[in-house]
Amino acid sequence: MAENEDGPGRTLFRFVRHWARGWNGTDGGDANGRDVMVVEAVADLGDRATVTAVAEELGIDQSGASRMVAGAVERGHLRKEPSPGDRRARVLVVTEQGDDLLRSARGWQEAVFAELARDWPEEDVRTFRRLMASLVERHPRGSGAARR
């Protein structure tokens, strides 16, 4: 590797940082981007979605997750319901409006990627997708290697 060339780890984190700050949604600004993250986490967690689980899923502290959840609830993307297993606990559920937000975000994500890769051969697009998915699947959240 040349002295002025980034290694693959640095390139990965520059890539993630660049795209993490890129989505502002259609009209909602930064709140929309935060809502997409928290609603996506709740959708992925399913019936295990609590504020604590969202914090773990997003890799943030519980107070930050609590603020994000409260905002998404206030804007109608999530609702809190009693947990079926413990009536004292609350689970998070994606609302119809939250589903609409995710559809919009996912459409935007696909459109952005299609534009960025418009000159790529289809095989390169498939390979890139497969390699990104492999990185995520082989190194689940909370793994020791990811935290060091």
Side-chain angles (χ1 to χ4, degrees):
M1 178 169 58
E3 188 174 316
N4 63 349
E5 185 178 317
D6 289 342
R10 173 120 169 87
T11 300
L12 172 66
F13 281 86
R14 286 181 58 220
F15 177 85
V16 170
R17 193 173 63 244
H18 174 80
W19 290 107
R21 66 177 175 250
W23 196 77
N24 287 324
T26 54
D27 297 318
D30 290 339
N32 226 1
R34 284 188 300 274
D35 284 358
V36 168
M37 288 192 322
V38 74
V39 173
E40 188 78 61
V42 170
D44 286 349
L45 289 163
D47 62 358
R48 300 174 296 117
T50 63
V51 172
T52 300
V54 167
E56 290 172 8
E57 182 79 6
L58 296 178
I60 61 176
D61 63 33
Q62 191 158 347
S63 66
S66 183
R67 286 189 299 276
M68 289 176 74
V69 164
V73 168
E74 182 179 308
R75 287 181 283 283
H77 301 300
L78 297 175
R79 71 176 177 270
K80 294 180 180 181
E81 295 182 351
S83 172
D86 179 356
R87 302 304 277 177
R88 295 168 297 165
R90 308 286 277 170
V91 292
L92 303 168
V93 177
V94 178
T95 64
E96 188 175 321
Q97 187 175 330
D99 283 334
D100 291 345
L101 178 71
L102 289 182
R103 271 192 297 282
S104 174
R106 290 169 182 164
W108 178 85
Q109 292 162 351
E110 295 304 319
V112 167
F113 184 81
E115 175 62 24
L116 291 171
R118 72 179 177 275
D119 298 332
W120 290 14
E122 187 58 35
E123 181 60 28
D124 287 355
V125 171
R126 283 192 300 273
T127 298
F128 185 71
R129 181 177 183 269
R130 180 181 52 77
L131 292 171
M132 285 191 301
S134 176
L135 281 173
V136 171
E137 290 165 10
R138 291 177 51 206
H139 299 284
R141 290 165 197 72
S143 71
R147 292 183 173 223
R148 285 184 210 146

